[in-house]
Amino acid sequence: MSTPDAVHGADGTAAPGAEAVAAAGADEVDLIVAAWRREAPQLDVEPLEVLSRVARLARHLDRLRRGAFSAHGLETWEFDVLAALRRAGSPHELSPGQLLVETLVTSGTMTNRVDRLATRGLAERRPDPDDRRGVRVRLTPAGAAVVDAAMADLVRAEHRMLDVLPREERRALATLLRRVSAPFEQGS
């Protein structure tokens, strides 16, 4: 029998109301799902239980990353470009086209970004030895130092964020998220 603070969901099972969910130590998504089940019991809102948490976690992660980067005087886009150059391996340079692929921006945007990084002394343009008309963008020693420091801070912060899960659960979560995101990544 249903209590006054419970309703039946689309699957016929009792869905607790907000008061019962909050009393059980639930999170905001549990409250949202309970409200939708109460207000629109004909909808199967099960995807919200996963994807709303992913969306909220993405917002928290974005703030965490921006904090790690700003501590080193970097914007997120600056970190993205410098990190792509750093990951390229010695001599830590890429063509503008390769940077476009790595950072998913337009060529006009990339030109502006490289200009700004060069002005700050974090990257430099060099002639492409294989193409007289081409250029390569190279990470400077100052750029390497700042991106390495920002990355170290980011990884420490992300470890703290994931410390609530044992290593085995982190691996399982990574596997599940890879499966969900794979169809989107293949289209990139």
Side-chain angles (χ1 to χ4, degrees):
M1 177 162 193
S2 178
T3 62
D5 64 345
V7 296
H8 291 284
D11 62 358
T13 60
E19 298 83 10
V21 173
D27 65 6
E28 285 295 317
V29 172
D30 290 321
L31 298 174
I32 290 167
V33 168
W36 277 114
R37 285 185 172 146
R38 182 188 67 243
E39 296 300 318
Q42 75 282 6
L43 294 177
D44 179 4
V45 295
E46 182 184 21
L48 294 178
E49 295 186 66
V50 174
L51 300 177
S52 290
R53 285 186 177 92
V54 170
R56 287 170 176 268
L57 187 58
R59 286 193 294 272
H60 291 296
L61 181 58
D62 184 54
R63 282 195 293 269
L64 181 141
R65 287 181 167 186
R66 280 187 277 130
F69 304 151
S70 70
H72 298 279
L74 295 175
E75 297 288 333
T76 300
W77 69 263
E78 291 172 310
F79 177 84
D80 289 345
V81 174
L82 296 174
L85 293 169
R86 183 69 170 97
R87 289 190 313 267
S90 187
H92 305 290
E93 67 180 28
L94 295 169
S95 71
Q98 290 169 310
L99 279 170
L100 295 177
V101 171
E102 290 285 326
T103 60
L104 303 173
V105 298
T106 65
S107 61
T109 299
M110 184 54 65
T111 298
N112 183 310
R113 289 180 177 187
V114 172
D115 288 345
R116 290 171 65 184
L117 290 170
T119 299
R120 291 188 57 199
L122 302 176
E124 62 186 5
R125 282 189 179 84
R126 302 173 58 87
D128 187 329
D130 300 323
D131 180 358
R132 289 186 322 157
R133 296 172 295 154
V135 297
R136 306 283 290 172
V137 180
R138 181 178 285 185
L139 188 64
T140 64
V146 75
V147 76
D148 284 354
M151 184 64 180
D153 282 354
L154 174 62
V155 170
R156 276 191 293 277
E158 288 182 350
H159 272 289
R160 285 191 303 273
M161 186 178 200
L162 291 173
D163 276 347
V164 298
L165 298 174
R167 186 173 298 277
E168 184 176 300
E169 288 182 2
R170 282 184 249 168
R171 287 184 183 134
L173 181 58
T175 298
L176 293 170
L177 290 172
R178 186 180 302 112
R179 283 176 42 200
V180 171
S181 64
F184 301 100
E185 298 296 325
Q186 293 168 1
S188 299

